Amino acid sequence: MTSTRRTAAIAGALYLVTHVTSVAALALYGPVLHHSDYVVGPGPDTRVLLGAFLEVVLALAVVGTAVALFPVVRSRNEGAALGYVALRTLEAGVIAVGVVPLLAVVTLRQDPAGATGTEAVTLGHALVAFHNWTFLLGPGFVCGTNTVLLAYLLHRAGLVARFIPVLGLVGGPLVFASGAAQMFGGYQQFSVWAALAAVPVFLWEICLALHLILKGFRPSAAASPAAAPVEAGAAAGAGAG
């Protein structure tokens, strides 16, 4: 396996990790996200803690995808490649911040520290709202932006099948617009409309992951644009000698 092929496989595997952990964490968070009285109830805390752990893994994998792809896309447009790494790191940071309030809900449920039932429920609701806003900002706005950036790089360089970056170029703006609609009250964050808006980005990342794992980058496109001139110069020098 060549270095570039191995890089593609690692990046694809990390993309799959982000999907598995994000979906699993959201499912595990169900009781705390959708039951306002969670903080005063029996609470399946282990389930919430496992969801938090998976989101930490998610944040690390998000950064990993950008780091893995950077050496390949850097030669196409170094500024855009650096921007992708920065935005993915920002997305991961926001995700990690969003884990903290749910951990605080678990702590509050286990040790209310003198708060009455009503006070605890109000505080718990505020902490869940904090998490939901970070979900909108990180996997919403920031993810929509970095999706467009990477899709542009892949499309311009022809590193993968053309339909894949097209999905990203469509899905990124759609997720961003959906986030704006949710922020200004167009529809609820957890709604059918929000789920539908996320489908193209979901397909983009799944198709990209599978393509990278099974096929890697297109061989002709994966070669650095700078390689040909360097090799030609070396050959000319050898001939002159």
Side-chain angles (χ1 to χ4, degrees):
M1 182 180 288
T2 66
S3 173
T4 302
R5 183 69 183 87
R6 184 163 51 248
T7 295
I10 291 172
L14 288 170
Y15 268 112
L16 287 183
V17 169
T18 65
H19 274 280
V20 171
T21 52
S22 61
V23 172
L26 186 60
L28 290 168
Y29 282 155
V32 68
L33 294 181
H34 304 301
H35 295 86
S36 59
D37 61 346
Y38 176 91
V39 74
V40 293
D45 291 342
T46 301
R47 175 174 171 172
V48 176
L49 292 173
L50 179 57
F53 174 77
L54 289 178
E55 281 214 295
V56 172
V57 175
L58 164 63
L60 294 174
V62 164
V63 177
T65 59
V67 172
L69 290 174
F70 179 72
V72 178
V73 298
R74 175 179 57 184
S75 58
R76 274 69 189 176
N77 188 321
E78 186 168 3
L82 284 170
Y84 181 69
V85 173
L87 285 169
R88 286 294 270 182
T89 302
L90 175 59
E91 180 185 351
V94 175
I95 290 170
V97 169
V99 172
V100 177
L102 296 187
L103 294 176
V105 171
V106 172
T107 300
L108 181 64
R109 196 202 66 77
Q110 294 176 350
D111 182 14
T116 65
T118 302
E119 291 171 342
V121 168
T122 301
L123 183 54
H125 182 73
L127 290 169
V128 170
F130 183 1
H131 166 81
N132 290 343
W133 279 113
T134 62
F135 186 85
L136 181 64
L137 295 175
F141 290 125
V142 182
C143 179
T145 305
N146 65 46
T147 292
V148 171
L149 199 56
L150 180 61
Y152 163 76
L153 284 168
L154 295 179
H155 185 271
R156 185 172 181 179
L159 288 167
V160 296
R162 292 292 182 181
F163 80 93
I164 297 176
V166 169
L167 283 172
L169 291 171
V170 171
L174 189 58
V175 164
F176 192 98
S178 176
Q182 295 166 47
M183 176 176 282
F184 293 102
Y187 47 81
Q188 295 296 314
Q189 189 173 13
F190 300 102
S191 64
V192 173
W193 293 112
L196 289 175
V199 168
V201 162
F202 177 82
L203 292 176
W204 135 263
E205 292 195 347
I206 287 292
C207 291
L208 177 60
L210 293 177
H211 190 287
L212 292 177
I213 292 171
L214 299 176
K215 296 184 177 181
F217 300 107
R218 287 182 169 177
S220 58
S224 171
V230 171
E231 290 171 1

